[in-house]
């Protein structure tokens, strides 16, 4: 069975001092807590804060991830940061294809290249998929998420035991404070799980799985973690304050 994942996506919400403060505070809170070895806690700060947060979380119960990274390893790519570079700084995870990046023009093809590069570097990709409100209204939801999974994993050759995480994030609930219901999440996760397994024949299913994202809070996390095909959460707003995020961690730590 895949481990449980709680991933904080800080987006562009904290300045560097705040990022350092929140990471330090969370580390302190976690020091007092016995954390289940199958619960992975991942912080994804902005690129500029990665190095200082990496120092803080080194040898702690927290792992580091980036919110994106570029697929080429090196070269004349103004403004880009490579997967190799985030790995050097200590990242073990990378969020790929978040809807806020797709909205800025990130294509399925770019996402696929990033997934390949992440796996080649030994990082765990957290691939975001999810429908917009319009797509849902038009009855396209299932097709959209299946398509996004297939495109992201097209011609991927992962080692059998490499972790691959798909975050189901219905775009229309992100940042609204109102998550979807658990029956909805269960249904979407089963479609994604099937697409994931179809895309990766031979991959051991215990190393890949689905997490939920979109207005997750300490109040609603139990609804999702009670589902057998949801292995954790990708958390935006509710991860920005250490004790708020800690409250969610405590719910998963049992
Ligand atoms: P939210 O963000 O928890 O603030 O809805 C989640 C995300 O965008 O990953």
């Amino acid at each position: 069975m895949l481990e449980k994942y709680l991933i904080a996506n800080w987006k562009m919400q904290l300045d560097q001092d705040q990022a350092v403060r929140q990471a330090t505070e969370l580390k302190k809170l976690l020091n007092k807590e016995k954390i289940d070895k199958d619960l992975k806690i991942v912080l994804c700060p902005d690129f500029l804060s990665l190095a200082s947060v990496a120092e803080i979380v080194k040898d702690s119960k927290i792992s580091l991830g980036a919110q994106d990274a570029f697929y080429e390893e090196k070269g004349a790519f103004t403004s880009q940061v490579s997967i190799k570079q985030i790995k050097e700084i200590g990242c073990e995870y990378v969020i790929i294809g978040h809807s806020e990046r797709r909205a800025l023009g990130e294509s399925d093809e770019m996402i696929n290249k990033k997934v390949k590069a992440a796996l080649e570097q030994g990082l765990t990709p957290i691939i975001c998929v999810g429908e917009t409100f319009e797509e849902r209204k038009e009855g396209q939801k299932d097709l959209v998420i299946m398509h996004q999974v297939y495109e992201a994993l097209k011609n991927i050759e992962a080692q059998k035991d490499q972790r691959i995480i798909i975050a189901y994030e219905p775009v229309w609930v992100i940042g609204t404070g109102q998550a979807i219901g658990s029956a909805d999440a269960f249904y979407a996760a089963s479609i994604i799980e099937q697409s994931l397994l179809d895309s990766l024949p031979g991959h051991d299913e215990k190393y890949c799985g689905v997490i939920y994202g979109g207005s997750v809070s300490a109040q609603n996390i139990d609804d999702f973690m009670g589902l057998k095909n949801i292995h954790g959460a990708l958390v935006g707003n509710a991860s920005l304050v250490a004790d708020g995020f800690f409250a969610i961690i405590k719910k998963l730590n049992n």
Side-chain angles (χ1 to χ4, degrees):
M1 179 98 147
L2 189 70
E3 299 87 350
K4 285 185 280 186
Y5 291 88
L6 201 49
I7 300 160
N9 178 8
W10 285 351
K11 308 190 180 184
M12 203 177 69
Q13 302 279 28
L14 303 176
D15 62 31
Q16 289 192 60
D17 284 350
Q18 290 169 328
V20 164
R21 224 177 311 129
Q22 295 306 333
T24 311
E25 185 63 27
L26 184 66
K27 181 173 153 175
K28 245 193 261 164
L29 290 167
L30 288 172
N31 276 344
K32 297 185 214 138
E33 196 79 8
K34 188 173 167 355
I35 297 292
D36 175 359
K37 69 170 180 16
D38 282 335
L39 172 58
K40 309 287 178 200
I41 301 158
V42 185
L43 293 184
C44 301
D46 64 281
F47 281 131
L48 290 179
S49 306
L50 272 180
S52 35
V53 173
E55 269 309 303
I56 297 162
V57 304
K58 203 163 59 185
D59 305 320
S60 78
K61 296 165 188 160
I62 306 169
S63 306
L64 192 67
Q67 298 171 17
D68 180 37
F70 194 53
Y71 44 84
E72 295 289 352
E73 218 175 277
K74 187 173 186 293
F77 301 104
T78 301
S79 91
Q80 298 298 316
V81 176
S82 73
I83 292 198
K84 186 155 183 261
Q85 287 172 316
I86 62 162
K87 183 183 176 178
E88 274 164 9
I89 234 162
C91 288
E92 296 171 72
Y93 297 86
V94 57
I95 298 175
I96 298 176
H98 190 280
S99 59
E100 287 152 14
R101 290 215 41 85
R102 291 183 193 256
L104 289 173
E106 179 133 326
S107 65
D108 285 327
E109 191 189 345
M110 287 165 76
I111 291 166
N112 179 249
K113 287 184 178 171
K114 290 179 179 188
V115 174
K116 268 188 199 151
L119 291 167
E120 271 165 27
Q121 291 290 337
L123 266 70
T124 298
I126 300 150
I127 306 162
C128 300
V129 303
E131 80 288 357
T132 62
F133 190 63
E134 287 66 37
E135 287 163 341
R136 189 179 182 93
K137 241 179 16 199
E138 285 159 15
Q140 299 295 312
K141 184 193 79 174
D142 297 1
L143 280 177
V144 168
I145 56 183
M146 279 192 280
H147 177 80
Q148 288 175 342
V149 175
Y150 287 131
E151 290 298 314
L153 297 176
K154 199 151 111 188
N155 301 324
I156 291 289
E157 281 176 29
Q159 281 165 33
K160 202 167 153 270
D161 60 349
Q162 275 190 299
R163 267 67 173 173
I164 297 176
I165 300 169
I166 308 273
Y168 172 55
E169 297 208 303
V171 179
W172 51 284
V173 299
I174 292 177
T176 62
Q178 183 65 56
I180 58 167
S182 56
D184 239 355
F186 180 80
Y187 176 74
S190 47
I191 290 179
I192 293 169
E193 208 169 54
Q194 193 52 53
S195 314
L196 188 55
L197 296 174
D198 289 348
S199 304
L200 298 168
H203 201 78
D204 193 330
E205 60 186 89
K206 71 172 178 283
Y207 297 121
C208 50
V210 183
I211 63 173
Y212 170 76
S215 295
V216 167
S217 67
Q219 286 71 46
N220 63 26
I221 186 71
D222 288 343
D223 299 345
F224 301 105
M225 294 314 295
L227 305 173
K228 68 175 183 347
N229 58 5
I230 299 276
H231 299 272
L234 179 55
V235 189
N237 279 334
S239 72
L240 295 174
V241 178
D243 50 5
F245 192 51
F246 183 63
I248 304 179
I249 295 172
K250 289 223 313 215
K251 297 242 173 179
L252 265 71
N253 192 32
N254 47 39

